[in-house]
Protein backbone atom coordinates (compact mmCIF):
# COMPACT_ATOMS: atom_id res chain seq x y z
CA UNK A 1 0.00 0.00 0.00
CA UNK A 2 2.74 2.41 0.97
CA UNK A 3 4.86 1.46 -2.00
CA UNK A 4 1.89 2.04 -4.25
CA UNK A 5 1.21 5.56 -2.96
CA UNK A 6 4.88 6.36 -3.19
CA UNK A 7 4.80 5.30 -6.82
CA UNK A 8 1.78 7.40 -7.62
CA UNK A 9 3.51 10.37 -6.04
CA UNK A 10 6.54 9.68 -8.20
CA UNK A 11 4.33 9.38 -11.27
CA UNK A 12 2.62 12.61 -10.44
CA UNK A 13 6.03 14.22 -10.35
CA UNK A 14 6.93 12.67 -13.72
CA UNK A 15 3.73 13.98 -15.18
CA UNK A 16 4.43 17.49 -13.98
CA UNK A 17 8.01 17.52 -15.16
CA UNK A 18 7.45 16.04 -18.62
CA UNK A 19 4.32 17.98 -19.44
CA UNK A 20 5.68 20.94 -17.54
CA UNK A 21 2.72 23.20 -18.24
CA UNK A 22 -0.10 22.71 -15.81
CA UNK A 23 -1.84 25.89 -14.87
CA UNK A 24 -4.97 25.91 -12.82
CA UNK A 25 -6.96 28.92 -11.71
CA UNK A 26 -10.32 29.87 -10.30
CA UNK A 27 -12.50 32.79 -11.33
CA UNK A 28 -15.37 34.41 -9.50
CA UNK A 29 -17.36 36.62 -11.84
CA UNK A 30 -20.44 38.78 -11.86
CA UNK A 31 -21.73 38.99 -15.41
CA UNK A 32 -23.86 42.04 -16.09
CA UNK A 33 -25.97 41.63 -19.17
CA UNK A 34 -27.26 44.57 -21.21
CA UNK A 35 -30.81 44.07 -19.89
CA UNK A 36 -29.53 44.51 -16.32
CA UNK A 37 -29.59 40.85 -15.35
CA UNK A 38 -26.82 39.50 -13.20
CA UNK A 39 -25.20 36.09 -13.42
CA UNK A 40 -22.86 34.97 -10.65
CA UNK A 41 -20.23 32.46 -11.80
CA UNK A 42 -17.56 30.49 -9.99
CA UNK A 43 -15.29 28.72 -12.41
CA UNK A 44 -12.26 26.48 -12.11
CA UNK A 45 -9.97 26.10 -15.11
CA UNK A 46 -7.01 23.84 -15.77
CA UNK A 47 -4.84 24.79 -18.72
CA UNK A 48 -7.58 27.15 -19.95
CA UNK A 49 -10.13 24.30 -20.00
CA UNK A 50 -13.19 24.86 -17.86
CA UNK A 51 -13.51 21.91 -15.47
CA UNK A 52 -16.35 22.93 -13.25
CA UNK A 53 -18.56 25.94 -12.64
CA UNK A 54 -21.36 27.25 -10.48
CA UNK A 55 -23.90 29.32 -12.43
CA UNK A 56 -26.45 31.31 -10.43
CA UNK A 57 -29.02 31.23 -13.24
CA UNK A 58 -29.00 27.44 -13.08
CA UNK A 59 -28.53 27.53 -9.31
CA UNK A 60 -26.18 24.56 -9.40
CA UNK A 61 -22.72 23.28 -10.21
CA UNK A 62 -21.87 21.80 -13.60
CA UNK A 63 -18.91 19.51 -14.26
CA UNK A 64 -17.37 19.19 -17.69
CA UNK A 65 -15.07 16.19 -17.20
CA UNK A 66 -15.85 12.77 -15.80
CA UNK A 67 -14.15 13.50 -12.49
CA UNK A 68 -15.56 17.01 -12.13
CA UNK A 69 -19.08 15.74 -12.92
CA UNK A 70 -18.82 13.48 -9.86
CA UNK A 71 -17.65 16.41 -7.74
CA UNK A 72 -20.49 18.58 -9.10
CA UNK A 73 -23.06 15.91 -8.22
CA UNK A 74 -21.75 15.79 -4.65
CA UNK A 75 -21.77 19.58 -4.30
CA UNK A 76 -25.30 19.86 -5.66
CA UNK A 77 -26.46 17.49 -2.91
CA UNK A 78 -24.88 19.77 -0.29
CA UNK A 79 -27.49 22.37 0.83
CA UNK A 80 -24.95 24.35 2.87
CA UNK A 81 -22.72 24.75 -0.19
CA UNK A 82 -25.61 25.92 -2.36
CA UNK A 83 -26.86 28.29 0.32
CA UNK A 84 -23.38 29.86 0.49
CA UNK A 85 -23.33 30.36 -3.31
CA UNK A 86 -26.78 31.97 -3.26
CA UNK A 87 -25.57 34.37 -0.60
CA UNK A 88 -22.48 35.23 -2.67
CA UNK A 89 -24.68 35.75 -5.75
CA UNK A 90 -26.48 38.52 -3.91
CA UNK A 91 -23.19 40.43 -3.64
CA UNK A 92 -23.30 40.91 -7.40
CA UNK A 93 -26.60 42.72 -7.01
CA UNK A 94 -25.50 44.83 -4.04
CA UNK A 95 -22.37 45.80 -6.01
CA UNK A 96 -24.42 46.70 -9.06
CA UNK A 97 -24.70 50.45 -8.21
CA UNK A 98 -20.90 50.55 -7.92
CA UNK A 99 -20.55 49.07 -11.40
CA UNK A 100 -23.19 51.38 -12.83
CA UNK A 101 -21.38 54.35 -11.28
CA UNK A 102 -18.14 53.36 -13.01
CA UNK A 103 -19.92 52.76 -16.31
CA UNK A 104 -21.65 56.13 -16.23
CA UNK A 105 -18.37 58.08 -16.16
CA UNK A 106 -16.45 58.61 -19.39
CA UNK A 107 -12.71 57.95 -19.21
CA UNK A 108 -10.39 60.23 -21.17
CA UNK A 109 -8.02 58.50 -23.58
CA UNK A 110 -4.26 58.68 -23.56
CA UNK A 111 -3.09 59.55 -27.09
CA UNK A 112 0.25 58.90 -28.68
CA UNK A 113 1.25 60.06 -32.16
CA UNK A 114 4.30 58.51 -33.77
CA UNK A 115 5.81 57.62 -37.13
CA UNK A 116 6.12 54.04 -38.29
CA UNK A 117 7.52 52.37 -41.37
CA UNK A 118 5.16 52.81 -44.34
CA UNK A 119 3.17 49.68 -45.17
CA UNK A 120 2.64 50.33 -48.88
CA UNK A 121 4.81 51.79 -51.62
CA UNK A 122 2.20 54.45 -52.41
CA UNK A 123 3.57 56.89 -49.84
CA UNK A 124 6.97 56.93 -48.14
CA UNK A 125 5.73 57.89 -44.68
CA UNK A 126 3.14 56.70 -42.20
CA UNK A 127 1.87 58.07 -38.91
CA UNK A 128 -0.09 56.17 -36.31
CA UNK A 129 -2.35 57.83 -33.79
CA UNK A 130 -2.85 55.41 -30.91
CA UNK A 131 -5.73 56.16 -28.57
CA UNK A 132 -5.61 54.16 -25.35
CA UNK A 133 -7.82 53.46 -22.36
CA UNK A 134 -11.05 55.24 -23.16
CA UNK A 135 -14.64 54.58 -22.15
CA UNK A 136 -17.33 54.46 -23.53
CA UNK A 137 -16.60 52.76 -26.83
CA UNK A 138 -17.91 55.50 -29.15
CA UNK A 139 -15.03 57.60 -30.47
CA UNK A 140 -13.96 59.49 -33.60
CA UNK A 141 -10.33 59.69 -34.62
CA UNK A 142 -9.62 61.76 -37.74
CA UNK A 143 -6.66 63.43 -39.45
CA UNK A 144 -6.05 67.00 -40.59
CA UNK A 145 -3.39 68.28 -42.93
CA UNK A 146 -2.87 72.04 -42.56
CA UNK A 147 -6.31 72.23 -40.98
CA UNK A 148 -8.13 70.32 -43.73
CA UNK A 149 -9.65 66.94 -42.95
CA UNK A 150 -7.92 64.05 -44.71
CA UNK A 151 -10.06 61.12 -45.82
CA UNK A 152 -7.88 59.19 -48.26
CA UNK A 153 -5.04 56.87 -47.20
CA UNK A 154 -6.45 56.57 -43.70
CA UNK A 155 -7.07 53.19 -42.09
CA UNK A 156 -8.33 52.58 -38.58
CA UNK A 157 -8.76 49.58 -36.36
CA UNK A 158 -12.06 48.93 -34.63
CA UNK A 159 -12.47 49.99 -31.04
CA UNK A 160 -10.64 47.11 -29.40
CA UNK A 161 -11.71 46.07 -25.89
CA UNK A 162 -8.80 45.82 -23.45
CA UNK A 163 -10.77 43.41 -21.31
CA UNK A 164 -10.87 45.88 -18.39
CA UNK A 165 -13.92 47.78 -19.72
CA UNK A 166 -11.63 50.29 -21.45
CA UNK A 167 -11.01 50.43 -25.20
CA UNK A 168 -8.18 51.32 -27.55
CA UNK A 169 -7.99 52.10 -31.23
CA UNK A 170 -5.29 52.94 -33.75
CA UNK A 171 -5.58 55.12 -36.84
CA UNK A 172 -2.98 55.12 -39.61
CA UNK A 173 -2.24 57.88 -42.10
CA UNK A 174 -0.06 57.22 -45.12
CA UNK A 175 1.34 60.35 -46.68
CA UNK A 176 4.06 62.02 -48.67
CA UNK A 177 5.67 64.66 -46.45
CA UNK A 178 5.58 68.28 -47.60
CA UNK A 179 7.87 70.97 -46.24
CA UNK A 180 6.40 73.04 -43.42
CA UNK A 181 3.04 71.29 -43.33
CA UNK A 182 1.10 70.54 -40.14
CA UNK A 183 -0.43 67.12 -39.59
CA UNK A 184 -2.90 66.69 -36.76
CA UNK A 185 -4.66 63.74 -35.18
CA UNK A 186 -8.12 64.77 -33.93
CA UNK A 187 -9.87 62.84 -31.16
CA UNK A 188 -13.56 63.33 -30.36
CA UNK A 189 -14.94 61.53 -27.34
CA UNK A 190 -17.58 61.86 -24.61
CA UNK A 191 -14.82 62.51 -22.04
CA UNK A 192 -13.70 65.65 -23.91
CA UNK A 193 -15.53 68.98 -23.94
CA UNK A 194 -14.26 69.69 -27.46
CA UNK A 195 -12.18 67.79 -30.02
CA UNK A 196 -8.61 67.36 -28.82
CA UNK A 197 -5.83 68.03 -31.32
CA UNK A 198 -2.45 66.33 -31.39
CA UNK A 199 0.07 67.89 -33.78
CA UNK A 200 2.79 65.86 -35.39
CA UNK A 201 6.23 67.29 -34.68
CA UNK A 202 8.92 65.37 -36.62
CA UNK A 203 11.81 67.56 -35.41
CA UNK A 204 10.80 67.08 -31.86
CA UNK A 205 10.99 63.30 -32.16
CA UNK A 206 14.48 63.21 -33.64
CA UNK A 207 15.57 65.72 -30.97
CA UNK A 208 14.24 63.47 -28.26
CA UNK A 209 16.20 60.56 -29.71
CA UNK A 210 19.37 62.65 -29.79
CA UNK A 211 18.88 63.70 -26.18
CA UNK A 212 18.30 60.08 -25.17
CA UNK A 213 21.44 58.94 -27.00
CA UNK A 214 23.43 61.81 -25.51
CA UNK A 215 22.28 61.02 -21.98
CA UNK A 216 23.13 57.35 -22.39
CA UNK A 217 26.58 58.29 -23.69
CA UNK A 218 27.15 60.70 -20.82
CA UNK A 219 26.12 58.10 -18.26
CA UNK A 220 28.45 55.52 -19.78
CA UNK A 221 31.26 58.09 -19.71
CA UNK A 222 30.59 58.86 -16.04
CA UNK A 223 30.68 55.17 -15.14
CA UNK A 224 34.06 54.76 -16.83
CA UNK A 225 35.35 57.92 -15.19
CA UNK A 226 34.24 56.70 -11.76
CA UNK A 227 35.80 53.28 -12.36
CA UNK A 228 39.02 55.01 -13.44
CA UNK A 229 39.10 57.24 -10.37
CA UNK A 230 38.53 54.29 -8.03
CA UNK A 231 41.21 52.25 -9.80
CA UNK A 232 43.65 55.15 -9.69
CA UNK A 233 43.03 55.84 -5.98
CA UNK A 234 43.46 52.17 -5.07
CA UNK A 235 46.78 52.02 -6.90
CA UNK A 236 48.15 55.25 -5.51
CA UNK A 237 47.16 54.49 -1.89
CA UNK A 238 48.77 51.03 -2.31
CA UNK A 239 51.96 52.61 -3.53
CA UNK A 240 52.00 55.24 -0.81
CA UNK A 241 52.15 52.56 1.88
CA UNK A 242 55.47 51.37 0.50
CA UNK A 243 58.33 53.86 1.04
CA UNK A 244 60.20 54.34 -2.21
CA UNK A 245 63.56 55.36 -0.73
C1 LIG B 1 -25.51 30.24 -17.04
O1 LIG B 1 -26.75 29.59 -17.20
C2 LIG B 1 -27.66 30.20 -18.12
C3 LIG B 1 -28.95 29.41 -18.10
O2 LIG B 1 -28.77 28.10 -18.47
C4 LIG B 1 -27.03 30.23 -19.49
O3 LIG B 1 -27.89 30.89 -20.40
C5 LIG B 1 -25.69 30.95 -19.43
O4 LIG B 1 -25.07 30.89 -20.69
C6 LIG B 1 -24.79 30.31 -18.39
N1 LIG B 1 -23.55 31.07 -18.30
C7 LIG B 1 -22.34 30.53 -18.54
C8 LIG B 1 -21.19 31.45 -18.49
O5 LIG B 1 -22.18 29.35 -18.76
Amino acid sequence: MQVHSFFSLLCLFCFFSTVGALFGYGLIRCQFTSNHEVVYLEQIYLNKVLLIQYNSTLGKVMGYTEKSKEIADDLNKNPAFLRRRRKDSEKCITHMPLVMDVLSKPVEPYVRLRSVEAASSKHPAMLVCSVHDFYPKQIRVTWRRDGKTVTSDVTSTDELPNGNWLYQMHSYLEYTPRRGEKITCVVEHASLMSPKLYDWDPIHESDRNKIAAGTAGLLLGLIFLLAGVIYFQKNTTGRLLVPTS
Side-chain angles (χ1 to χ4, degrees), residues 29-32 36-40 56 85-100:
R29 304 162 57 179
C30 297
Q31 251 180 12
F32 298 90
H36 287 216
E37 276 165 20
V38 185
V39 186
Y40 173 79
S56 68
R85 299 312 111 174
R86 272 197 293 277
K87 206 156 178 149
D88 285 341
S89 310
E90 284 163 19
K91 281 189 200 152
C92 285
I93 296 161
T94 51
H95 289 160
M96 187 93 158
L98 203 77
V99 175
M100 286 303 153

Side-chain angles (χ1 to χ4, degrees), residues 4 6 22 35 120 156 229:
H4 178 229
F6 177 71
L22 272 180
N35 43 352
S120 78
S156 295
V229 167

Side-chain angles (χ1 to χ4, degrees), residues 29 31 39 41 43 53 55-58 64:
R29 304 162 57 179
Q31 251 180 12
V39 186
L41 297 165
Q43 304 170 316
Q53 79 167 347
N55 177 331
S56 68
T57 312
L58 293 169
Y64 298 95

Side-chain angles (χ1 to χ4, degrees), residues 133-148:
D133 296 346
F134 57 89
Y135 179 87
K137 190 180 175 183
Q138 290 72 30
I139 198 161
R140 222 161 83 95
V141 179
T142 51
W143 293 91
R144 281 183 202 163
R145 229 173 154 176
D146 286 330
K148 275 196 243 83

Side-chain angles (χ1 to χ4, degrees), residues 209-225:
N209 289 344
K210 274 181 208 152
I211 290 166
T215 313
L218 185 67
L219 266 173
L220 206 65
L222 276 176
I223 289 166
F224 274 101
L225 181 70

Side-chain angles (χ1 to χ4, degrees), residues 8-236:
S8 51
L9 194 74
L10 206 69
C11 275
L12 195 70
F13 179 74
C14 293
F15 178 62
F16 271 102
S17 61
T18 51
V19 176
L22 272 180
F23 181 64
Y25 59 101
L27 271 180
I28 296 178
R29 304 162 57 179
C30 297
Q31 251 180 12
F32 298 90
T33 63
S34 49
N35 43 352
H36 287 216
E37 276 165 20
V38 185
V39 186
Y40 173 79
L41 297 165
E42 272 184 31
Q43 304 170 316
I44 294 176
Y45 290 84
L46 189 67
N47 283 354
K48 292 193 193 170
V49 177
L50 181 61
L51 295 186
I52 192 165
Q53 79 167 347
Y54 174 84
N55 177 331
S56 68
T57 312
L58 293 169
K60 63 176 186 177
V61 184
M62 297 277 284
Y64 298 95
T65 62
E66 216 169 296
K67 185 76 195 154
S68 66
K69 271 180 190 153
E70 280 173 32
I71 297 169
D73 280 345
D74 281 345
L75 289 174
N76 287 328
K77 282 180 207 143
N78 181 342
F81 173 85
L82 293 178
R83 215 178 307 123
R84 180 76 227 168
R85 299 312 111 174
R86 272 197 293 277
K87 206 156 178 149
D88 285 341
S89 310
E90 284 163 19
K91 281 189 200 152
C92 285
I93 296 161
T94 51
H95 289 160
M96 187 93 158
L98 203 77
V99 175
M100 286 303 153
D101 189 48
V102 168
L103 295 187
S104 67
K105 287 191 188 104
V107 178
E108 191 180 327
Y110 157 74
V111 178
R112 190 164 165 236
L113 189 54
R114 66 200 156 93
S115 67
V116 287
E117 205 140 311
S120 78
S121 52
K122 208 167 147 196
H123 296 287
M126 183 151 85
L127 292 181
V128 55
C129 187
S130 293
V131 186
H132 290 280
D133 296 346
F134 57 89
Y135 179 87
K137 190 180 175 183
Q138 290 72 30
I139 198 161
R140 222 161 83 95
V141 179
T142 51
W143 293 91
R144 281 183 202 163
R145 229 173 154 176
D146 286 330
K148 275 196 243 83
T149 303
V150 184
T151 47
S152 58
D153 303 314
V154 173
T155 47
S156 295
T157 64
D158 287 332
E159 299 87 351
L160 310 164
N162 284 354
N164 61 352
W165 108 88
L166 301 174
Y167 292 86
Q168 59 174 282
M169 84 170 284
H170 307 269
S171 185
Y172 299 85
L173 171 74
E174 287 189 82
Y175 71 112
T176 305
R178 288 193 297 245
R179 187 177 281 274
E181 70 178 340
K182 193 167 90 178
I183 298 178
T184 313
C185 172
V186 184
V187 178
E188 291 165 84
H189 188 252
S191 61
L192 305 166
M193 297 292 276
S194 55
K196 210 160 175 177
L197 311 180
Y198 299 86
D199 288 333
W200 171 239
D201 191 351
I203 300 154
H204 217 105
E205 189 180 53
S206 64
D207 270 358
R208 261 201 303 275
N209 289 344
K210 274 181 208 152
I211 290 166
T215 313
L218 185 67
L219 266 173
L220 206 65
L222 276 176
I223 289 166
F224 274 101
L225 181 70
L226 206 68
V229 167
I230 291 167
Y231 182 76
F232 176 75
Q233 278 197 335
K234 258 191 170 168
N235 275 4
T236 47

